Amino acid sequence: MKPLEYHAPGALDDAVRLSAEAGASPLAGGTDLIVQHRMGRVEVAHMVDLKKIPELNVLEFDKKSGLRLGAAVPCAALAECEPIGRLYPSLLEGAELIGSTQIQSRASVGGNLCNGSPAADTICALIVLDAVCVIQGANGSREVAAKDFMTGPGETALNKGELLVEIRVPPPAPLSGNGYLRFIPRNEMDIAVVCVAAHLVFDKDRETCLDAKIAVGAAAPTPLLVEQAGRALIGSKLDEPALKAAAQAASKAVRPIDDARGTAEYRRHMAGVLTRRAVGMAVNRFKESG
Amino acid sequence: MEKQTPGGRPYKVIGTRPIRHDGEDKVTGRAQSGADISFRDQLYGKVLRSPHPHARIVSIDASKALAMPGVEAVITGAELPQPHDRMFLSGEGGVENFRYVNDRVLASGKALFEGHPIAAVAAKDIWTAEEAVKAIEVTYEVLPAVTDVLKAMQPDAPLLHEEITTETLGEKKKESTNVCRHTQHKRGDVDQGFSAADVVIEREFTTSTVHQGYIEPHNATALYRSDGQITIWTSTQAPFWVRRDVAELLELPLSTIKVVPLEIGGGFGGKIAVYLEPLAVLLSKKTGKPVKLVMNRQEVFLATGPASSTATRIKIGVKKDGTITAAAAHLVYEAGAFPSNWAVMGSMCVLAPYKMETLLIDAFDVLTNTPKVMAYRAPSSPQAIFGVESVLDEIALELGMDPLELRMKNAVEEGDRRADGPKFPRIGLKETIQAAMDSEHYKSPAPSGPNQSRAVAVGFWFNAGLQSSATVGINMDGTASVVTGSVDIGGSRASMAMMAAEALGLKAEEVRPSVADTDAIGHTDVTGGSRTTFATGMAVYEACQDVLGQLKKRVATLWELPEEEIEFDGSAFQHADNGKDPMTVKELGAKLTATGGPVMGHSSVAPTGVGASFGVHIADVEVDPETGKVTVLRYTVVQDVGQAIHPSYVEGQMQGGAVQGIGWALNEEYVRNDEGKMMNPSFLDYRVPTMLDVPSIETILVEVPNPGHPYGVRGVGETPIVPPLGTLHNAIARAVGVRMRSLPMSPPKLSAALQAKGLEAIAAPTP
C-alpha cells in the first residue's frame, strides 16, 4: 500500500475541487473504499472525506416534497428518522442490511450508490421509489434518476470531479406499499445473490393495482427496473396469473453471471422467486398501513 | 458409571464450572496474541506468492525491490538449505517428509499452488514491504493445473512431482503419478458378505475443500541474534514442533532455538505446520533485526492448510434385521500440492463405529495444485463417515427401521476391532446412542410442517496420546502453580488447574496454570488430536503425585512418624491411627522452609491408554423449496466425553464442532475458476455460519470414563465436527426427498436438485 493524503474539507466547493485531482477519491463511510484500497483493488492518492460538509449531511422529510437524504448520512441515522420506516420501508430495509450495526454507523446510502455495485442494498428501493440523485460538479449541479445512476459494475453516472450530494425521494402515493428483500445463503454478513424491491399503488377498492414498479439487483451489470414485471401487475388484483407473469418477466429480464456467490441459472430462478416475495411484502405493507 | 477419583473418592473440583483463569484477559482483549508482539527496531516482512496454481519459475529478479528505500532483505527458495529426505511425525500422527516442507515454505523450481511462497522481503514498515513485493520480477512458465481429485488421478493429468510414484501396500510403483499413496484394509471375504445381505446399497459422494476458518491469521516474529541464538514468537498449536521444523529446515541445532507461544486465536489443526516462522528467521538472520510477518485473510485461505475435498463410494449390506454383513469404502482424498496421509486417516475412521464380519477399504491420497491439506478437527473423519451415515439412513428407511436402532444394532463396543487393526478399549458408543434415543429432542414429535424433517448421524474420532510434560510447584502459602508446554486453545489452563486442584485437595482458584516456552518446560507435543486434557492432564496428575510424595516426607518429619503410616486422602494428610490432626497441602505451604525448602513436582508422559470418542447428532431442519435454503430448527449433540473436567468447556467444544460441521455441510467451499484459482478467499464469500445461522446447540454429556486416564478423561474436541455432515444431509433428504450426496448443500445446488426433481414431487417426499 502506498501512502496517501487525507483531506476533510468543510465546504462543498472545496470537496468538488479536491475530488477533481488525479488519484482523488471521495470518502463517506469508507466501508467499501478503505477495504478496496487495502486490498490493492483501487489506488488512491487523495482521500477526500465528505462527512464534514453540511449539504451531504441533510436528513429531512416534507409531506409535499418528500425525503432529502444527504450522501454522507450514515445508514444508522435512517432508522432514527421516523417517516422513513413508515413511508419508505424498502429503503430502510436495504440500509439495515448493509454490514453489521457497527458498519451501519459509518456506511452511507450515498456511498452504497457511488460504489456502483449491482448488488448494492439500497439502490433497488430508490429505483422503485422514483428517487433522484443530485450531483454537484465544478460547473454546477444536475439531477439523475436513481434508475440511471449506476452504469456498470463499479461505474456510475458521476464524471470525474462530480460528487453525489443528496438523494431526493418523492412522497409515496397515499394508497401504496413498498418492500425490499435480498437472498443470501446465510442470515447476516453477506452480499445479495439477488435482490428485489417492489412498489405498488392501489386503486380505491384497495385491491386493484394501479401502478407497480419492480427493480432487481445483482442479476445484471447494473440494477434493473423491470418494466415488464410492473406491467404484468398493473390492472390486476395481484392474482396468481399476474404474479406468475411478473416473476417470469423478472427472470427473463435479468442478465446474470456465474461467480463465487451464485450461478447465473440460480440468479435467474431467484429473480422470479424474490419478485413474488417482494410483491407480497409490498401488499402487506399497504394492508398494514390501514 | 463410576464418577470418582482413583482413590475411590467423589470428585470435589472435577465436574464443577469455575471461571477460567485466562478468561478476563481474553474477554477484555488484554491477552497477547501473536500479532501483538512488537520490538523497537522491528522490520516487517511480506511474502510474494504465486498467482498461478501451477507454473515453472524461470527467473526471480529482486534488484528493483532491494533498491527501494527501507527494504532491507529479500529471500528466495535458493537460500534455504538443499532439501533432503527425512521423515517426521506431523499433525495428528501422520508421517511426512521434510523435503516437501522445505519446498512448501519457499518454492524451488515450480509453483505448485496459487499462493505458493516465491520470495519474502523485510522492510521498515508493512507498506514498504507490500510495495517491495510488487517490485520483484518473476518470470513464470504457466503449466496446466489440476485441482479436482478425480481428474488428478487420470493418466493424462498434469503431474505435480516427477519423482513421485504410487506407494501401494508398502511397495513403490514405477510410473510417475499424482496418486501418492494407496492404502487398503481387508477383513474376510467382502463379496461373500454382500451376498449374505438382504439389502445392499452403494452410493457415491463428494465433498468440497473447506478451511478451518480460525479468526486469527498466521503470524511469526523472529530474532536471530549475532551469537546464533534464535527466538520465535508465534501463534501455534505446537511450539516444540515449530522448533523442530525450523531447526530441520535451516539445519540448526534445536538448542539454538526458543519458541515462545503467544495466545492463539483458533487453530483446529491448521496451526501446526510452519509457514512464516522459517521466513522470519531467515529474514532476521540477514538483517540482524527482529522481523514480523502476519498473513492477511486471503493468504490464509490460499496458502495454509485446508481440509481435503473428497470423492468416495460407500457400499453397505445388511440383513433384514439390520445386521451389517459387509461394507466397502473407496476413498479419494485431496492431498494438496505435497504428499499427505489424509486418505490413510479416512480409511481408519470410515467404518470405525460399526461391527462387521467382512470389509474392504481402499484409500487414495492424490496430489492437486492446491495448498497442502492440513489437519482440521478430526481430520479426514467427517468426509469418510458422511457417506456411511447417508447410506445407513437409506437402509433404515428401506428396512422401515428407526435410524438409531439400526446404529445400536451394529455399534462397536469394548473388544471389537477397527478396520485397521486396533481393538477398542472401553468406549461409549452404545451408551451415546441410548442417550440420544432417551433425549427429550428425539422423543419429541419430529417437525411435521412442509419440507421439515429430523435425522441423525454418528461420528467417531480416535483421539491422540503423544508426549507431554508438566511441573507443579507448591507456593509458600500452600497454593500451587502448574506449568505445561500445551498451548491453551480450548480452555486447557482451567482443566489443568482443576485436575491439579483435585489431586492436591486445593480449590481451582488456588492453582495458577500457565503455558511455558520451549526453554521452560520439557518436550510437549502438539495441542491437537484432542490429547491435551488427556495427556498433558496426565502429566499434571503425575506431577501432583510427585509433589504429594515429597510432601508426605515433610509431614513425616513434622509428625516424627514413619512415612508409611501417613496417607493423603484427597483433602489432607492423615495419620493411620488418627493420632494427629489432618494436615492439608495449604497448611504445609508455610512449613516448607522449615522442613527442607521448596517443593516442586514434575512429570513427562507418553500415555497409551487413549480413549476414543463417539457422538450422535440429532437435527430438525426446514428447507425452503424455492430458494434451496436450509434452516436448522433444532440441533442436539450427544457425545461420550469420558469424565468432563470442566463441563462448560466440554459443551463449548461440542457446540463449536457442530457449528463447524454445519458450515461444512451447508455453505463452506473453495470456489475455483477454470484456471484453478480460488474465487472466494474472504470471510465475506467463504461462508462460515454466523451466530444467526445456527440455533442454540443443545448438548448431552455421556460420561463413560476412560480407564486409560486417572480421571477418566477422553478427548472431546474433534468428534463433534464429524456427525453434522451426515445429520444435515439425511435431514434434508427426509424433508424434501432429494439425496444430495454432494457437499456443500448450498442454496444454488439444492435448488437446482429440487427443480430437477420437479416441484410437484416435493409435496410428497419419498426419500
Side-chain angles (χ1 to χ4, degrees):
Chain A
M1 193 169 87
K2 286 181 180 151
L4 59 86
E5 268 186 72
Y6 169 81
H7 310 265
L12 183 56
D13 288 351
D14 291 339
V16 167
R17 182 175 46 73
L18 284 162
S19 299
E21 303 262 331
S25 183
L27 169 83
T31 57
D32 288 311
L33 183 68
I34 290 174
V35 177
Q36 290 163 4
H37 180 67
R38 288 193 61 149
M39 291 185 77
R41 280 198 228 144
V42 295
E43 271 205 7
V44 182
H46 299 275
M47 269 193 196
V48 185
D49 191 340
L50 308 175
K51 287 191 287 292
K52 293 189 174 161
I53 300 165
E55 290 90 331
L56 277 83
N57 283 294
V58 174
L59 178 60
E60 53 185 50
F61 176 77
D62 177 87
K63 275 183 190 163
K64 276 188 186 157
S65 53
L67 180 71
R68 288 181 65 201
L69 172 59
V73 172
C75 291
L78 271 64
E80 314 278 309
C81 182
E82 189 276 325
I84 296 181
R86 188 161 44 84
L87 298 175
Y88 312 105
S90 55
L91 175 59
L92 186 60
E93 265 153 1
E96 290 189 335
L97 283 173
I98 297 173
S100 59
T101 302
Q102 293 94 323
I103 296 287
Q104 286 159 23
S105 302
R106 269 296 193 190
S108 64
V109 173
N112 193 228
L113 264 56
C114 292
N115 185 47
S117 165
D121 275 311
T122 55
I123 183 72
C124 287
L126 293 172
I127 289 172
V128 299
L129 292 168
D130 283 328
V132 168
C133 300
V134 180
I135 295 167
Q136 181 75 40
N139 302 320
S141 77
R142 64 186 180 107
E143 293 184 357
V144 171
K147 72 178 169 65
D148 300 322
F149 187 77
M150 290 192 192
T151 54
E155 289 166 17
T156 67
L158 293 174
N159 296 314
K160 178 75 186 160
E162 281 189 325
L163 295 175
L164 175 64
V165 177
E166 69 172 63
I167 299 148
R168 291 190 186 147
V169 196
L175 298 177
S176 70
N178 61 84
Y180 167 78
L181 84 167
R182 68 176 184 185
F183 180 79
I184 55 173
R186 293 187 289 194
N187 292 316
E188 251 301 343
M189 306 302 286
D190 219 327
I191 288 181
V193 176
V194 177
C195 51
V196 175
H199 182 203
L200 306 175
V201 181
F202 292 86
D203 200 354
K204 285 192 284 292
D205 67 359
R206 302 182 66 86
E207 283 184 7
T208 310
C209 178
L210 276 187
D211 192 14
K213 287 202 166 71
I214 305 291
V216 182
T222 64
L224 299 176
L225 174 63
V226 185
E227 289 175 0
Q228 300 88 327
R231 274 204 291 277
L233 301 172
I234 293 170
S236 81
K237 293 190 173 175
L238 305 177
D239 45 14
E240 179 55 28
L243 292 173
K244 195 170 176 182
Q248 281 174 348
S251 285
K252 206 175 157 198
V254 295
R255 304 191 301 281
I257 55 163
D258 283 325
D259 67 12
R261 296 192 181 122
T263 59
E265 188 193 350
Y266 183 64
R267 287 190 159 107
R268 193 174 289 286
H269 165 71
M270 286 302 294
V273 170
L274 295 187
T275 294
R276 270 173 180 272
R277 292 185 183 187
V279 168
M281 285 174 79
V283 170
N284 287 339
R285 289 279 157 61
F286 165 60
K287 286 182 178 161
E288 283 161 15
S289 70
Chain B
M1 276 176 268
E2 46 189 289
K3 292 192 70 176
Q4 53 187 20
T5 65
R9 293 176 293 273
Y11 289 122
K12 289 198 281 282
V13 180
I14 286 172
T16 64
R17 302 174 186 244
I19 291 172
R20 65 195 284 171
H21 302 69
D22 52 325
E24 156 134 4
D25 276 353
K26 285 185 175 159
V27 168
T28 57
R30 228 178 272 286
Q32 272 227 320
S33 296
D36 292 330
I37 197 96
S38 269
F39 297 94
R40 183 180 42 80
D41 55 345
Q42 167 180 300
L43 299 175
Y44 291 81
K46 186 77 190 168
V47 177
L48 173 67
R49 298 180 182 277
S50 170
H52 309 293
H54 199 187
R56 199 169 304 287
I57 303 164
V58 179
S59 66
I60 304 174
D61 180 358
S63 53
K64 283 183 187 152
L66 280 165
M68 290 169 65
V71 175
E72 300 211 11
V74 177
I75 53 167
T76 66
E79 282 164 83
L80 280 173
Q82 279 305 300
H84 53 281
D85 287 312
R86 178 151 171 211
M87 307 313 283
F88 73 106
L89 195 67
S90 72
E92 311 281 351
V95 174
E96 291 185 45
N97 189 340
F98 265 113
R99 166 181 298 278
Y100 298 113
V101 179
N102 193 307
D103 210 11
R104 174 172 62 70
V105 166
L106 265 180
S108 63
K110 283 208 296 187
L112 292 163
F113 59 97
E114 182 192 12
H116 198 162
I118 305 295
V121 305
K124 66 178 167 57
D125 55 48
I126 185 63
W127 302 283
T128 307
E130 283 173 7
E131 292 304 313
V133 159
K134 289 184 206 159
I136 299 173
E137 291 168 357
V138 185
T139 310
Y140 295 100
E141 177 197 339
V142 178
L143 302 170
V146 61
T147 57
D148 177 272
V149 280
L150 294 180
K151 285 182 188 157
M153 289 180 94
Q154 298 300 317
D156 58 345
L159 274 183
L160 276 84
H161 300 272
E162 301 288 339
E163 76 281 10
I164 287 180
T165 62
T166 306
E167 191 182 322
T168 177
L169 315 177
E171 280 179 29
K172 286 245 179 204
K173 288 198 173 174
K174 274 190 195 142
E175 61 276 17
S176 296
T177 166
N178 291 323
V179 182
C180 50
R181 184 165 287 121
H182 168 214
T183 309
Q184 191 178 69
H185 299 295
K186 254 170 130 167
R187 181 187 297 160
D189 181 340
V190 79
D191 292 329
Q192 217 163 32
F194 283 121
S195 42
D198 296 313
V199 176
V200 177
I201 292 184
E202 181 173 24
R203 300 285 184 242
E204 291 184 352
F205 302 88
T206 61
T207 68
S208 298
T209 312
V210 296
H211 198 273
Q212 296 85 347
Y214 31 78
I215 296 298
E216 177 204 35
H218 294 253
N219 57 78
T221 305
L223 174 62
Y224 196 120
R225 282 188 343 215
S226 57
D227 63 359
Q229 297 296 309
I230 298 162
T231 307
I232 301 168
W233 296 264
T234 183
S235 305
T236 176
Q237 294 175 240
F240 286 86
W241 291 7
V242 168
R243 183 173 69 162
R244 173 200 64 195
D245 292 359
V246 172
E248 190 71 32
L249 287 176
L250 305 182
E251 296 179 345
L252 295 165
L254 272 187
S255 60
T256 60
I257 302 168
K258 172 164 96 170
V259 177
V260 183
L262 293 155
E263 296 298 342
I264 183 168
F268 312 109
K271 286 189 187 146
I272 299 173
V274 292
Y275 294 100
L276 299 175
E277 292 87 347
L279 308 182
V281 170
L282 278 178
L283 288 168
S284 180
K285 185 181 183 183
K286 274 201 151 182
T287 59
K289 294 175 187 169
V291 177
K292 175 175 178 175
L293 290 113
V294 181
M295 289 193 196
N296 61 30
R297 184 60 54 187
Q298 186 176 4
E299 292 177 291
V300 171
F301 275 116
L302 292 181
T304 70
S308 304
S309 61
T310 59
T312 63
R313 194 167 66 237
I314 305 290
K315 183 178 179 183
I316 299 176
V318 298
K319 291 276 198 194
K320 279 201 185 85
D321 69 352
T323 309
I324 297 176
T325 60
H330 186 274
L331 311 172
V332 180
Y333 274 64
E334 172 189 3
F338 301 97
S340 297
N341 306 292
W342 302 114
V344 180
M345 302 292 276
S347 74
M348 292 156 78
C349 297
V350 61
L351 299 172
Y354 304 111
K355 293 180 211 240
M356 60 199 73
E357 296 291 323
T358 69
L359 62 79
L360 176 64
I361 302 168
D362 283 291
F364 301 86
D365 282 290
V366 180
L367 295 159
T368 47
N369 290 113
T370 57
K372 181 178 182 300
V373 168
M374 295 293 177
Y376 177 19
R377 208 167 191 159
S380 297
S381 187
Q383 302 99 310
I385 286 183
F386 159 53
V388 170
E389 291 302 305
S390 175
V391 169
L392 285 178
D393 197 52
E394 279 195 75
I395 287 174
L397 287 164
E398 174 95 19
L399 296 176
M401 201 169 174
D402 177 276
L404 285 178
E405 288 286 352
L406 175 63
R407 269 96 176 167
M408 184 65 106
K409 185 148 197 101
N410 296 288
V412 284
E413 54 198 328
E414 185 170 355
D416 288 330
R417 282 193 185 279
R418 267 190 355 229
D420 52 315
K423 248 187 199 172
F424 283 113
R426 181 85 174 89
I427 46 171
L429 176 56
K430 288 197 159 177
E431 288 85 345
T432 306
I433 295 172
Q434 190 60 51
M437 287 172 162
D438 295 342
S439 67
E440 189 277 321
H441 185 173
Y442 201 67
K443 284 186 160 171
S444 71
S448 54
N451 310 303
Q452 294 181 340
S453 197
R454 169 178 299 164
V456 298
V458 164
F460 157 79
W461 183 246
F462 326 87
N463 297 324
L466 302 176
Q467 312 164 95
S468 287
S469 302
T471 64
V472 174
I474 300 300
N475 297 315
M476 296 324 219
D477 65 352
T479 61
S481 63
V482 172
V483 180
T484 75
S486 289
V487 168
D488 182 356
I489 285 196
S492 59
R493 282 189 185 87
S495 311
M496 297 307 145
M498 289 172 73
M499 284 185 274
E502 187 72 53
L504 299 172
L506 296 171
K507 294 181 185 137
E509 299 75 26
E510 290 170 335
V511 181
R512 212 180 156 80
S514 57
V515 179
D517 64 50
T518 55
D519 279 359
I521 188 78
H523 179 93
T524 298
D525 286 322
V526 61
T527 293
S530 300
R531 63 172 288 277
T532 305
T533 309
F534 168 72
T536 307
M538 192 181 279
V540 168
Y541 176 85
E542 294 296 341
C544 289
Q545 302 313 307
D546 184 5
V547 163
L548 290 171
Q550 296 177 49
L551 290 178
K552 192 190 271 188
K553 288 193 174 68
R554 305 300 178 90
V555 177
T557 307
L558 286 167
W559 288 350
E560 298 179 340
L561 285 166
E563 246 185 85
E564 304 77 55
E565 289 178 23
I566 297 163
E567 279 295 317
F568 184 73
D569 73 353
S571 304
F573 289 95
Q574 308 267 4
H575 180 225
D577 299 333
N578 294 321
K580 295 280 180 187
D581 289 340
M583 188 175 289
T584 62
V585 171
K586 197 83 190 290
E587 288 163 344
L588 270 165
K591 304 182 197 303
L592 292 180
T593 303
T595 55
V599 165
M600 196 187 83
H602 63 89
S603 172
S604 288
V605 299
T608 52
V610 179
S613 173
F614 291 87
V616 176
H617 291 197
I618 309 164
D620 294 356
V621 305
E622 178 174 346
V623 179
D624 181 333
E626 286 187 325
T627 64
K629 185 164 168 169
V630 176
T631 302
V632 183
L633 303 169
R634 188 175 179 189
Y635 200 99
T636 301
V637 179
V638 191
Q639 189 176 321
D640 169 20
V641 298
Q643 171 62 49
I645 302 299
H646 192 308
S648 297
Y649 301 144
V650 172
E651 289 158 4
Q653 290 284 351
M654 290 159 73
Q655 293 168 324
V659 170
Q660 284 187 311
I662 290 169
W664 196 334
L666 295 183
N667 277 309
E668 292 184 35
E669 65 178 318
Y670 274 49
V671 181
R672 293 200 169 93
N673 68 11
D674 293 344
E675 296 166 63
K677 295 187 183 184
M678 187 183 184
M679 304 298 289
N680 59 334
S682 72
F683 272 151
L684 181 61
D685 291 323
Y686 179 90
R687 296 175 171 118
V688 300
T690 72
M691 61 185 286
L692 298 174
D693 298 311
V694 287
S696 180
I697 308 282
E698 297 165 49
T699 55
I700 297 172
L701 274 54
V702 179
E703 295 186 295
V704 179
N706 169 20
H709 188 279
Y711 292 142
V713 169
R714 287 177 201 280
V716 299
E718 294 177 284
T719 298
I721 198 175
V722 181
L725 285 60
T727 306
L728 290 182
H729 176 266
N730 297 341
I732 290 167
R734 285 169 178 256
V736 293
V738 171
R739 286 207 171 253
M740 296 297 290
R741 303 193 185 102
S742 170
L743 302 184
M745 297 174 286
S746 59
K749 272 166 76 178
L750 186 49
S751 161
L754 288 169
Q755 285 179 67
K757 186 180 157 69
L759 287 168
E760 72 284 355
I762 295 168
T766 47

